[in-house]
Amino acid sequence: MEAAVKGGDNPKECPVCLTDFDDTVQRPRTLPCGHTVCTPCIGKLEEESRVTCPQCRVSHDVPEGGEFPVSYIAEALIRMMKDAKVTAAASLPPSARKGKGAARAAGKKKVPGLSKKMCSFLEEQEATVMDAIATCREVESQLHQYKRTLTGWGEQQQQLESRLQGLVDQSKSAREIVELEKSRVTATEGKVKKGRQELQAVLETLRAPATDQEAGLAVAETVRCLGETEQVVEECQEGFPDASAVAAVCKVKMASSAALGVAKAVHMTLEVTKEELLPQSNPEEAKAQSDPEEARPQSDPEEARAQSDPESTIMDRLQLILTLSLKAEDLRSLTQPIRSLLQAGLVFAVHQVEGQRRHARISLEAGQLYLHALKDQPLPLGAATLQVSEVVPPSPPCTVFLDLSWPGRATRRVKIHLSPDTPWGRQFLLLCSGQRGPSYRNTNLLWVVRKGRLGESVIAGDYESNDGKGTSRLLSDLDKGEYRRSGRLGDVCGLRWSGHNRCARGLFGIFTKNRQENDMSGLVFGEVVEGLPVVVEAAKYSNIRKVTVVDCGVVL
């Protein structure tokens, strides 16, 4: 520890063990306080997920990955110092270099009796052991991260148990209130019954008095019974129901019912998850028992490979385990578990493009399902997935959407119905979903043609350079197809001209004013079915280039 306090005299060595840093085992790692310690010493200093700096004595939490960041600057400086020494040694005369080599040999530990070949073999074994040590450290880091995840889950579960226990305690208290109220009602019910029976007896006396004296006694008894009965009835009407008791019981009942509803939904989700994740005990038997034409599709081979891949990390495999596989009919059923997943943003469509897996979020808005453009994004824990091809048609007719926004205006949605049998419609669908890689997401509107006049239209869609000069296209022969000629307000058409360097093959136009009947466009492939006022308003904005397609996708 005294060496640690005096650390800093030699920046090449760890201030704790005084061993030179390297890029394998003794890697320099920087603590949040700024001091640097080698990897093995940090492991020795860790106590209860905290490390105390040996120099300034400040205590730090261990990061989630289990390792503090490597000081790449320190590693680079050490390599520079070593290279400088090698260069200096090379510039010395042979006699001096011989002396340096002798000094290094003198400082190196030797074992008499070992051959040169054996020494080389031992060096190879040492390198192998060092690689194994690095692998162990990596696995140790993965296990530490997994343990922290499990610890977090345990704490969350404990909190849930405490909350559930609190709900159970409240339920017991409510049941005791009900029993107490029930006993009060029973006692009062007996008093009322007794008064009714006494009044019934008095009624018989009043009906058959023999003398005036008997009649007087009967009247007196009647007055007494009426007074007592009226008092009991009044107490009953004033004392029941007990407002505080009823309110408390109703609130606990509502909370308990809601908790049971959530528990039921979770149970249904768990049942589906268990069905998806548990392997069949006998694949041949399972195959024989199921109809091949009605069998559920097999899991994605890429996911299965990744799950069994020894090079994948523990957390990667954990993610695969927690990923629930859905079918299109499961999604469209919109059962409560599926709704819960959609509302939590945990439903994604998976697509393989150019060897890379991409994910598209599926949302539920106003009872309508939307698939947003594919992104290079990791799946959150607990996500449910299905294939893009299960929910997105290979070609129109279908409906897509563009979300437009500009300064001072919130994002608003424009829905476009694409016509069948048009290459432009198929390309537009691909660029809204991102299935070929690029999409219209984050592109800007480019300009307004014939602004303020007949045939006014908004031009957009340069997904390559976003300035109208891109030349990429996804499909060939865009001009060939069953297009209709039109120029009505809301029509969406492809552009076939390329003058003034405007040659982007993804450009499209949306008419915001009707064209003249003798001036019709011939590449109409869709029409705006919702949100046309948004496009009309965008055409009037002072700077059309600031109108952005912040999102796009397909209406499912």
Side-chain angles (χ1 to χ4, degrees):
M1 186 55 66
E2 182 180 356
V5 174
K6 296 192 298 182
D9 295 339
N10 188 352
K12 296 190 303 178
E13 64 184 24
C14 172
V16 178
C17 62
L18 303 181
T19 304
D20 286 351
F21 292 121
D22 58 34
D23 56 359
T24 55
V25 178
Q26 307 292 136
R27 301 195 73 178
R29 295 190 179 271
T30 303
L31 300 175
C33 60
H35 294 109
T36 305
V37 184
C38 72
T39 302
C41 288
I42 284 186
K44 295 176 183 178
L45 293 171
E46 181 179 345
E47 293 182 4
E48 298 181 356
S49 299
R50 293 186 68 82
V51 170
T52 300
C53 177
Q55 294 182 271
C56 64
R57 310 304 299 166
V58 175
S59 180
H60 308 288
D61 288 326
V62 177
E64 288 190 5
E67 296 283 0
F68 288 93
V70 174
S71 178
Y72 295 104
I73 295 179
E75 285 188 343
L77 290 175
I78 292 170
R79 284 195 293 269
M80 290 174 62
M81 295 171 68
K82 288 181 179 179
D83 293 342
K85 282 189 176 182
V86 172
T87 303
S91 63
L92 292 174
S95 59
R97 289 200 298 271
K98 183 177 180 181
K100 289 285 184 180
R104 287 197 300 270
K108 186 175 181 180
K109 183 178 179 181
K110 292 184 178 180
V111 180
L114 292 181
S115 64
K116 184 177 181 181
K117 184 176 181 180
M118 180 57 69
C119 289
S120 176
F121 178 72
L122 291 176
E123 289 178 357
E124 292 178 359
Q125 293 300 309
E126 181 181 352
T128 302
V129 172
M130 290 175 65
D131 290 341
I133 291 174
T135 301
C136 289
R137 290 193 178 279
E138 182 178 355
V139 173
E140 187 179 354
S141 174
Q142 294 178 24
L143 290 172
H144 182 75
Q145 185 178 3
Y146 183 43
K147 184 176 73 173
R148 289 174 67 90
T149 300
L150 293 175
T151 301
W153 286 356
E155 293 174 352
Q156 293 174 7
Q157 199 62 38
Q158 182 62 49
Q159 293 175 0
L160 287 173
E161 288 181 12
S162 299
R163 293 170 62 184
L164 289 173
Q165 186 60 49
L167 186 59
V168 170
D169 293 340
Q170 291 180 15
S171 180
K172 289 181 178 179
S173 299
R175 183 160 50 83
E176 292 174 358
I177 292 174
V178 169
E179 292 299 327
L180 179 61
E181 189 74 352
K182 184 178 177 181
S183 63
R184 289 182 58 228
V185 170
T186 301
T188 305
E189 185 182 20
K191 292 180 180 180
V192 174
K193 182 178 180 181
K194 181 181 177 181
R196 178 179 58 80
Q197 291 174 345
E198 290 180 352
L199 289 174
Q200 190 70 35
V202 168
L203 181 61
E204 296 296 330
T205 304
L206 288 174
R207 287 176 176 174
T211 62
D212 290 344
Q213 184 178 4
E214 291 178 358
L217 292 174
V219 171
E221 182 65 16
T222 300
V223 172
R224 183 190 67 80
C225 289
L226 286 173
E228 292 179 356
T229 304
E230 289 177 357
Q231 183 177 359
V232 171
V233 171
E234 185 178 351
E235 291 176 356
C236 178
Q237 291 176 342
E238 291 179 354
F240 298 102
D242 187 300
S244 59
V246 172
V249 172
C250 287
K251 288 180 180 179
V252 173
K253 182 179 178 182
M254 291 174 62
S256 302
S257 299
L260 287 174
V262 173
K264 183 178 179 180
V266 172
H267 177 73
M268 293 174 64
T269 304
L270 289 176
E271 288 297 319
V272 176
T273 305
K274 184 170 65 175
E275 179 184 348
E276 294 289 337
L277 295 179
L278 290 181
Q280 297 287 340
S281 58
N282 188 341
E284 293 297 325
E285 180 181 353
K287 182 178 180 181
Q289 293 177 354
S290 62
D291 186 350
E293 295 182 358
E294 298 180 358
R296 293 174 65 90
Q298 298 296 321
S299 301
D300 189 349
E302 289 293 326
E303 290 188 5
R305 183 198 63 79
Q307 192 164 357
S308 60
D309 186 359
E311 296 184 358
S312 61
T313 67
I314 292 174
M315 299 307 291
D316 290 339
R317 290 191 288 274
L318 176 64
Q319 171 62 67
L320 288 174
I321 292 173
L322 294 177
T323 300
L324 172 64
S325 179
L326 297 178
K327 293 180 65 178
E329 50 265 35
D330 297 331
L331 181 64
R332 293 193 173 95
S333 66
L334 286 181
T335 59
Q336 186 56 47
I338 301 299
R339 284 181 177 272
S340 299
L341 289 171
L342 288 166
Q343 291 168 358
L346 293 177
V347 179
F348 291 83
V350 183
H351 185 64
Q352 194 88 7
V353 55
E354 296 181 356
Q356 183 180 12
R357 290 173 63 84
R358 308 173 75 206
H359 305 101
R361 182 175 64 90
I362 297 178
S363 64
L364 178 64
E365 305 171 33
Q368 179 67 61
L369 291 170
Y370 297 92
L371 180 137
H372 301 257
L374 288 156
K375 285 184 180 180
D376 299 327
Q377 57 184 347
L379 289 176
L381 292 177
T385 64
L386 71 168
Q387 297 297 314
V388 168
S389 58
E390 293 186 59
V391 291
V392 176
S395 62
C398 61
T399 302
V400 296
F401 70 88
L402 305 173
D403 287 345
L404 302 184
S405 178
W406 58 89
R409 296 294 294 177
T411 301
R412 289 176 291 173
R413 181 156 294 173
V414 177
K415 295 182 182 179
I416 300 173
H417 182 74
L418 303 179
S419 305
D421 302 324
T422 59
W424 251 107
R426 290 194 293 273
Q427 177 172 274
F428 200 85
L429 172 61
L430 293 173
L431 286 169
C432 283
S433 63
Q435 290 172 267
R436 292 286 184 90
S439 74
Y440 285 135
R441 187 202 304 271
N442 295 327
T443 61
N444 298 328
L445 304 192
L446 299 172
W447 56 84
V448 181
V449 176
R450 297 181 179 180
K451 189 168 185 177
R453 296 177 293 163
L454 290 175
E456 177 188 81
S457 59
V458 171
I459 308 301
D462 185 0
Y463 60 87
E464 182 185 17
S465 59
N466 205 22
D467 58 3
K469 300 178 181 179
T471 59
S472 296
R473 61 179 175 182
L474 297 183
L475 301 179
S476 59
D477 298 328
L478 290 176
D479 296 349
K480 299 179 180 179
E482 298 296 327
Y483 296 101
R484 62 182 175 87
R485 296 180 58 83
S486 178
R488 298 177 305 184
L489 174 69
D491 279 344
V492 184
C493 64
L495 303 187
R496 56 157 49 106
W497 48 271
S498 59
H500 304 291
N501 294 325
R502 295 170 180 172
C503 51
R505 300 308 298 266
L507 292 186
F508 64 91
I510 301 178
F511 285 103
T512 51
K513 289 182 181 295
N514 290 318
R515 260 186 169 184
Q516 294 180 353
E517 293 185 1
N518 59 353
D519 188 18
M520 296 288 105
S521 172
L523 290 178
V524 175
F525 62 87
E527 61 177 329
V528 177
V529 294
E530 185 177 321
L532 183 58
V534 179
V535 185
V536 174
E537 185 178 347
K540 298 177 181 178
Y541 188 64
S542 58
N543 188 349
I544 193 68
R545 293 294 182 96
K546 291 187 177 182
V547 181
T548 304
V549 180
V550 296
D551 198 5
C552 56
V554 184
V555 181
L556 303 181

